Amino acid sequence: MSLPKRVVLVGPMGAGKSTIGRMLAKELGYRFLDSDRIIEERCGANIPWIFDVEGEDGFRERETAMLDELTDEAGIVLATGGGAVMRSENHPLLKKNSVVVYLKTSIEQQVERTRKDRNRPLLQNDDPESVLRNLFEVRDPLYTKLADIVMYTDRKSPRLVVRQLVNRINPRTPRHKRQRRKEGRDYEQGTSRT
Ligand code: S3P
């Protein structure tokens, strides 16, 4: 099996999409892109500000436009926001020539990992755990439907998750070949340290 054009990570807030995405990209010799961070860069404002001023609908418009653009890129691992699956028009964008990975995480882990976060407007209230539970009810079937790979992340280090993902995505390529391909890409992108 050859490598897919893109690996798209979906899953709830606190699933570890950015941490795992960054490490996975390195391992595959791909670039890592985070849809939320690029929206913030383009907009010159953070997500709470966008929610405040444009509402969740405004944010979702930006998110769809961003996914449309980023899913034309090849050789990337793309981390998406937890709500990217909420619009059905996003589904073909997420699936197109991609391996979609659902990082599945317990509510307890999501609560723990997002406890101190101030950058997620949907969780800035008295009962973020209930919010996460309600979102899970609605979104888990969508993540599952879209996913080519469902990967549980509870009680696993990011390193272990990445190793298991690499084996699922590209089981036949031995490590030394992946390393050689990665070095080739680093060289082309001028990021080689050797
Ligand atoms: C959201 C998740 C966030 C971000 C926004 C909305 C959601 O991304 O897109 O706050 O609806 O679940 P992360 O999943 O990266 O936290």
Side-chain angles (χ1 to χ4, degrees):
M1 188 170 92
S2 59
L3 277 175
K5 260 192 169 172
R6 264 179 303 286
V7 179
V8 173
L9 303 181
V10 299
M13 295 178 267
K17 289 168 295 199
S18 304
T19 307
I20 289 166
R22 199 167 287 115
M23 290 170 66
L24 178 64
K26 208 165 180 194
E27 200 58 34
L28 296 173
Y30 279 16
R31 281 180 304 140
F32 172 68
L33 299 178
D34 183 323
S35 142
D36 282 345
R37 297 294 81 76
I38 301 174
I39 291 172
E40 290 185 322
E41 278 166 28
R42 295 272 179 91
C43 196
N46 62 18
I47 288 179
W49 187 93
I50 301 173
F51 268 68
D52 250 13
V53 175
E54 301 180 353
E56 182 171 347
D57 279 351
F59 173 75
R60 297 292 169 210
E61 287 294 328
R62 289 181 183 275
E63 186 173 49
T64 297
M66 189 50 64
L67 292 173
D68 192 20
E69 179 183 327
L70 296 179
T71 52
D72 278 339
E73 303 262 347
I76 62 165
V77 173
L78 175 64
T80 62
V85 295
M86 292 304 289
R87 283 188 160 193
S88 56
E89 64 196 283
N90 294 346
H91 294 185
L93 300 176
L94 297 169
K95 290 292 292 177
K96 157 177 99 171
N97 297 323
S98 306
V99 166
V100 178
V101 176
Y102 172 17
L103 294 179
K104 189 159 182 168
T105 309
S106 67
I107 303 288
E108 291 68 31
Q109 276 284 300
Q110 293 174 44
V111 171
E112 179 56 30
R113 292 198 190 131
T114 56
R115 208 156 37 94
K116 295 190 185 132
D117 192 280
R118 295 287 161 269
N119 203 39
R120 291 179 169 111
L122 297 178
L123 302 182
Q124 306 313 306
N125 54 66
D126 292 343
D127 193 359
E129 179 168 348
S130 294
V131 173
L132 287 167
R133 234 172 251 293
N134 292 335
L135 291 177
F136 181 83
E137 290 297 314
V138 177
R139 294 175 178 181
D140 173 65
L142 298 173
Y143 296 137
T144 306
K145 185 185 93 176
L146 287 169
D148 299 295
I149 297 173
V150 178
M151 177 62 64
Y152 291 84
T153 67
D154 277 16
R155 292 182 298 280
K156 288 183 193 168
S157 66
R159 188 193 273 274
L160 176 60
V161 173
V162 168
R163 191 167 352 119
Q164 292 180 339
L165 278 177
V166 170
N167 287 336
R168 296 279 300 274
I169 292 167
N170 196 21
R172 297 219 201 103
T173 309
R175 200 182 156 79
H176 71 275
K177 284 206 179 148
R178 287 200 300 268
Q179 185 60 27
R180 218 175 294 148
R181 189 170 44 223
K182 176 179 157 2
E183 282 164 7
R185 276 186 194 276
D186 284 350
Y187 181 75
E188 279 168 27
Q189 292 166 5
T191 55
S192 171
R193 295 211 186 96
T194 54

PDB file of all heavy atoms in Angstrom, residues 11-13 17 36 47 51 59-60 63 80-83 119-122 139, ligand 1:
ATOM      1  N   GLY A  11     -11.904  14.336  15.548  1.00  0.00           N
ATOM      2  CA  GLY A  11     -12.134  13.898  16.927  1.00  0.00           C
ATOM      3  C   GLY A  11     -12.411  15.102  17.798  1.00  0.00           C
ATOM      4  O   GLY A  11     -12.256  16.245  17.356  1.00  0.00           O
ATOM      5  N   PRO A  12     -12.824  14.842  19.030  1.00  0.00           N
ATOM      6  CA  PRO A  12     -13.287  15.931  19.894  1.00  0.00           C
ATOM      7  C   PRO A  12     -12.155  16.802  20.423  1.00  0.00           C
ATOM      8  O   PRO A  12     -10.973  16.465  20.292  1.00  0.00           O
ATOM      9  CB  PRO A  12     -13.956  15.183  21.056  1.00  0.00           C
ATOM     10  CG  PRO A  12     -13.229  13.882  21.113  1.00  0.00           C
ATOM     11  CD  PRO A  12     -12.895  13.531  19.684  1.00  0.00           C
ATOM     12  N   MET A  13     -12.546  17.891  21.037  1.00  0.00           N
ATOM     13  CA  MET A  13     -11.579  18.748  21.733  1.00  0.00           C
ATOM     14  C   MET A  13     -10.860  17.894  22.787  1.00  0.00           C
ATOM     15  O   MET A  13     -11.497  17.105  23.484  1.00  0.00           O
ATOM     16  CB  MET A  13     -12.322  19.901  22.437  1.00  0.00           C
ATOM     17  CG  MET A  13     -12.996  20.841  21.479  1.00  0.00           C
ATOM     18  SD  MET A  13     -13.935  22.167  22.315  1.00  0.00           S
ATOM     19  CE  MET A  13     -15.585  21.441  22.394  1.00  0.00           C
ATOM     20  N   LYS A  17      -5.270  15.935  18.787  1.00  0.00           N
ATOM     21  CA  LYS A  17      -5.077  16.018  17.324  1.00  0.00           C
ATOM     22  C   LYS A  17      -3.808  16.789  16.960  1.00  0.00           C
ATOM     23  O   LYS A  17      -3.080  16.386  16.062  1.00  0.00           O
ATOM     24  CB  LYS A  17      -6.308  16.683  16.664  1.00  0.00           C
ATOM     25  CG  LYS A  17      -7.557  15.793  16.668  1.00  0.00           C
ATOM     26  CD  LYS A  17      -8.782  16.585  16.275  1.00  0.00           C
ATOM     27  CE  LYS A  17      -9.069  17.635  17.302  1.00  0.00           C
ATOM     28  NZ  LYS A  17     -10.362  18.222  17.372  1.00  0.00           N
ATOM     29  N   ASP A  36      -7.516  25.113  12.607  1.00  0.00           N
ATOM     30  CA  ASP A  36      -7.870  26.209  13.532  1.00  0.00           C
ATOM     31  C   ASP A  36      -6.770  27.279  13.607  1.00  0.00           C
ATOM     32  O   ASP A  36      -7.059  28.471  13.633  1.00  0.00           O
ATOM     33  CB  ASP A  36      -8.098  25.671  14.954  1.00  0.00           C
ATOM     34  CG  ASP A  36      -9.458  25.009  15.092  1.00  0.00           C
ATOM     35  OD1 ASP A  36     -10.309  25.204  14.220  1.00  0.00           O
ATOM     36  OD2 ASP A  36      -9.647  24.289  16.095  1.00  0.00           O
ATOM     37  N   ILE A  47      -9.764  32.217  18.190  1.00  0.00           N
ATOM     38  CA  ILE A  47     -11.093  31.609  18.007  1.00  0.00           C
ATOM     39  C   ILE A  47     -12.145  32.216  18.950  1.00  0.00           C
ATOM     40  O   ILE A  47     -13.264  32.517  18.499  1.00  0.00           O
ATOM     41  CB  ILE A  47     -10.985  30.076  18.105  1.00  0.00           C
ATOM     42  CG1 ILE A  47     -10.287  29.595  16.826  1.00  0.00           C
ATOM     43  CG2 ILE A  47     -12.357  29.422  18.245  1.00  0.00           C
ATOM     44  CD1 ILE A  47     -10.049  28.136  16.714  1.00  0.00           C
ATOM     45  N   PHE A  51     -15.711  33.700  17.575  1.00  0.00           N
ATOM     46  CA  PHE A  51     -17.024  33.283  18.099  1.00  0.00           C
ATOM     47  C   PHE A  51     -17.793  34.482  18.643  1.00  0.00           C
ATOM     48  O   PHE A  51     -18.997  34.602  18.438  1.00  0.00           O
ATOM     49  CB  PHE A  51     -16.857  32.235  19.215  1.00  0.00           C
ATOM     50  CG  PHE A  51     -16.898  30.803  18.736  1.00  0.00           C
ATOM     51  CD1 PHE A  51     -15.876  30.288  17.947  1.00  0.00           C
ATOM     52  CD2 PHE A  51     -17.946  29.962  19.084  1.00  0.00           C
ATOM     53  CE1 PHE A  51     -15.900  28.969  17.518  1.00  0.00           C
ATOM     54  CE2 PHE A  51     -17.986  28.635  18.660  1.00  0.00           C
ATOM     55  CZ  PHE A  51     -16.961  28.132  17.884  1.00  0.00           C
ATOM     56  N   PHE A  59     -17.781  31.340  12.423  1.00  0.00           N
ATOM     57  CA  PHE A  59     -16.609  30.474  12.520  1.00  0.00           C
ATOM     58  C   PHE A  59     -16.754  29.268  11.580  1.00  0.00           C
ATOM     59  O   PHE A  59     -15.801  28.892  10.879  1.00  0.00           O
ATOM     60  CB  PHE A  59     -16.399  29.992  13.968  1.00  0.00           C
ATOM     61  CG  PHE A  59     -15.317  28.961  14.087  1.00  0.00           C
ATOM     62  CD1 PHE A  59     -13.976  29.326  13.995  1.00  0.00           C
ATOM     63  CD2 PHE A  59     -15.623  27.613  14.247  1.00  0.00           C
ATOM     64  CE1 PHE A  59     -12.968  28.370  14.067  1.00  0.00           C
ATOM     65  CE2 PHE A  59     -14.627  26.646  14.315  1.00  0.00           C
ATOM     66  CZ  PHE A  59     -13.290  27.029  14.233  1.00  0.00           C
ATOM     67  N   ARG A  60     -17.946  28.678  11.547  1.00  0.00           N
ATOM     68  CA  ARG A  60     -18.160  27.478  10.700  1.00  0.00           C
ATOM     69  C   ARG A  60     -17.983  27.809   9.211  1.00  0.00           C
ATOM     70  O   ARG A  60     -17.512  26.975   8.439  1.00  0.00           O
ATOM     71  CB  ARG A  60     -19.541  26.862  10.947  1.00  0.00           C
ATOM     72  CG  ARG A  60     -19.780  26.347  12.357  1.00  0.00           C
ATOM     73  CD  ARG A  60     -18.933  25.139  12.709  1.00  0.00           C
ATOM     74  NE  ARG A  60     -19.006  24.845  14.145  1.00  0.00           N
ATOM     75  CZ  ARG A  60     -18.032  24.286  14.839  1.00  0.00           C
ATOM     76  NH1 ARG A  60     -16.894  23.930  14.266  1.00  0.00           N
ATOM     77  NH2 ARG A  60     -18.167  24.060  16.119  1.00  0.00           N
ATOM     78  N   GLU A  63     -14.383  27.863   8.678  1.00  0.00           N
ATOM     79  CA  GLU A  63     -13.844  26.503   8.775  1.00  0.00           C
ATOM     80  C   GLU A  63     -14.077  25.739   7.457  1.00  0.00           C
ATOM     81  O   GLU A  63     -13.167  25.077   6.950  1.00  0.00           O
ATOM     82  CB  GLU A  63     -14.539  25.784   9.944  1.00  0.00           C
ATOM     83  CG  GLU A  63     -13.982  24.420  10.268  1.00  0.00           C
ATOM     84  CD  GLU A  63     -14.604  23.843  11.541  1.00  0.00           C
ATOM     85  OE1 GLU A  63     -15.851  23.850  11.673  1.00  0.00           O
ATOM     86  OE2 GLU A  63     -13.827  23.388  12.403  1.00  0.00           O
ATOM     87  N   THR A  80      -8.098  18.836  12.277  1.00  0.00           N
ATOM     88  CA  THR A  80      -9.315  19.628  12.108  1.00  0.00           C
ATOM     89  C   THR A  80      -9.896  19.967  13.473  1.00  0.00           C
ATOM     90  O   THR A  80      -9.610  19.294  14.469  1.00  0.00           O
ATOM     91  CB  THR A  80     -10.363  18.825  11.298  1.00  0.00           C
ATOM     92  OG1 THR A  80     -10.703  17.640  12.021  1.00  0.00           O
ATOM     93  CG2 THR A  80      -9.824  18.454   9.927  1.00  0.00           C
ATOM     94  N   GLY A  81     -10.741  20.995  13.510  1.00  0.00           N
ATOM     95  CA  GLY A  81     -11.428  21.323  14.758  1.00  0.00           C
ATOM     96  C   GLY A  81     -12.473  20.257  15.074  1.00  0.00           C
ATOM     97  O   GLY A  81     -12.980  19.582  14.166  1.00  0.00           O
ATOM     98  N   GLY A  82     -12.806  20.131  16.352  1.00  0.00           N
ATOM     99  CA  GLY A  82     -13.734  19.079  16.787  1.00  0.00           C
ATOM    100  C   GLY A  82     -15.096  19.144  16.116  1.00  0.00           C
ATOM    101  O   GLY A  82     -15.787  18.129  15.992  1.00  0.00           O
ATOM    102  N   GLY A  83     -15.495  20.354  15.653  1.00  0.00           N
ATOM    103  CA  GLY A  83     -16.818  20.496  15.058  1.00  0.00           C
ATOM    104  C   GLY A  83     -16.825  20.425  13.542  1.00  0.00           C
ATOM    105  O   GLY A  83     -17.876  20.637  12.909  1.00  0.00           O
ATOM    106  N   ASN A 119      -9.130  28.848  25.274  1.00  0.00           N
ATOM    107  CA  ASN A 119      -9.230  29.145  23.834  1.00  0.00           C
ATOM    108  C   ASN A 119     -10.364  28.376  23.151  1.00  0.00           C
ATOM    109  O   ASN A 119     -10.478  28.397  21.935  1.00  0.00           O
ATOM    110  CB  ASN A 119      -7.884  28.829  23.160  1.00  0.00           C
ATOM    111  CG  ASN A 119      -7.711  29.605  21.866  1.00  0.00           C
ATOM    112  OD1 ASN A 119      -8.091  30.780  21.780  1.00  0.00           O
ATOM    113  ND2 ASN A 119      -7.186  28.946  20.837  1.00  0.00           N
ATOM    114  N   ARG A 120     -11.195  27.688  23.976  1.00  0.00           N
ATOM    115  CA  ARG A 120     -12.296  26.913  23.374  1.00  0.00           C
ATOM    116  C   ARG A 120     -13.626  27.468  23.887  1.00  0.00           C
ATOM    117  O   ARG A 120     -14.089  27.100  24.973  1.00  0.00           O
ATOM    118  CB  ARG A 120     -12.144  25.441  23.724  1.00  0.00           C
ATOM    119  CG  ARG A 120     -10.936  24.791  23.038  1.00  0.00           C
ATOM    120  CD  ARG A 120     -10.822  23.337  23.444  1.00  0.00           C
ATOM    121  NE  ARG A 120      -9.872  22.594  22.638  1.00  0.00           N
ATOM    122  CZ  ARG A 120      -8.704  22.140  23.109  1.00  0.00           C
ATOM    123  NH1 ARG A 120      -8.321  22.395  24.340  1.00  0.00           N
ATOM    124  NH2 ARG A 120      -7.918  21.427  22.318  1.00  0.00           N
ATOM    125  N   PRO A 121     -14.234  28.346  23.092  1.00  0.00           N
ATOM    126  CA  PRO A 121     -15.429  29.057  23.561  1.00  0.00           C
ATOM    127  C   PRO A 121     -16.551  28.137  24.026  1.00  0.00           C
ATOM    128  O   PRO A 121     -17.271  28.480  24.968  1.00  0.00           O
ATOM    129  CB  PRO A 121     -15.882  29.861  22.334  1.00  0.00           C
ATOM    130  CG  PRO A 121     -14.830  29.719  21.311  1.00  0.00           C
ATOM    131  CD  PRO A 121     -13.839  28.707  21.734  1.00  0.00           C
ATOM    132  N   LEU A 122     -16.688  26.967  23.405  1.00  0.00           N
ATOM    133  CA  LEU A 122     -17.812  26.090  23.761  1.00  0.00           C
ATOM    134  C   LEU A 122     -17.677  25.532  25.180  1.00  0.00           C
ATOM    135  O   LEU A 122     -18.655  25.053  25.753  1.00  0.00           O
ATOM    136  CB  LEU A 122     -17.925  24.925  22.757  1.00  0.00           C
ATOM    137  CG  LEU A 122     -18.218  25.318  21.305  1.00  0.00           C
ATOM    138  CD1 LEU A 122     -18.252  24.090  20.403  1.00  0.00           C
ATOM    139  CD2 LEU A 122     -19.561  26.055  21.219  1.00  0.00           C
ATOM    140  N   ARG A 139     -21.688  13.817  17.858  1.00  0.00           N
ATOM    141  CA  ARG A 139     -20.577  13.776  16.910  1.00  0.00           C
ATOM    142  C   ARG A 139     -19.908  12.413  16.759  1.00  0.00           C
ATOM    143  O   ARG A 139     -19.355  12.122  15.699  1.00  0.00           O
ATOM    144  CB  ARG A 139     -19.514  14.813  17.329  1.00  0.00           C
ATOM    145  CG  ARG A 139     -20.021  16.235  17.219  1.00  0.00           C
ATOM    146  CD  ARG A 139     -18.999  17.211  17.742  1.00  0.00           C
ATOM    147  NE  ARG A 139     -19.437  18.584  17.611  1.00  0.00           N
ATOM    148  CZ  ARG A 139     -18.711  19.623  17.976  1.00  0.00           C
ATOM    149  NH1 ARG A 139     -17.493  19.433  18.483  1.00  0.00           N
ATOM    150  NH2 ARG A 139     -19.171  20.850  17.831  1.00  0.00           N
TER     151      ARG A 139
HETATM  152  C1  S3P B   1     -14.597  23.197  18.359  1.00  0.00           C
HETATM  153  C2  S3P B   1     -13.340  22.681  18.549  1.00  0.00           C
HETATM  154  C3  S3P B   1     -12.130  23.519  18.510  1.00  0.00           C
HETATM  155  C4  S3P B   1     -12.355  24.758  17.651  1.00  0.00           C
HETATM  156  C5  S3P B   1     -13.574  25.488  18.101  1.00  0.00           C
HETATM  157  C6  S3P B   1     -14.839  24.627  18.034  1.00  0.00           C
HETATM  158  C7  S3P B   1     -15.755  22.284  18.434  1.00  0.00           C
HETATM  159  O1  S3P B   1     -11.036  22.769  17.976  1.00  0.00           O
HETATM  160  O2  S3P B   1     -12.482  24.410  16.302  1.00  0.00           O
HETATM  161  O3  S3P B   1     -13.366  25.927  19.423  1.00  0.00           O
HETATM  162  O4  S3P B   1     -16.841  22.642  17.951  1.00  0.00           O
HETATM  163  O5  S3P B   1     -15.583  21.160  18.973  1.00  0.00           O
HETATM  164  P1  S3P B   1     -10.261  21.596  18.784  1.00  0.00           P
HETATM  165  O6  S3P B   1     -11.039  20.339  18.565  1.00  0.00           O
HETATM  166  O7  S3P B   1      -8.923  21.548  18.129  1.00  0.00           O
HETATM  167  O8  S3P B   1     -10.198  22.001  20.202  1.00  0.00           O
END
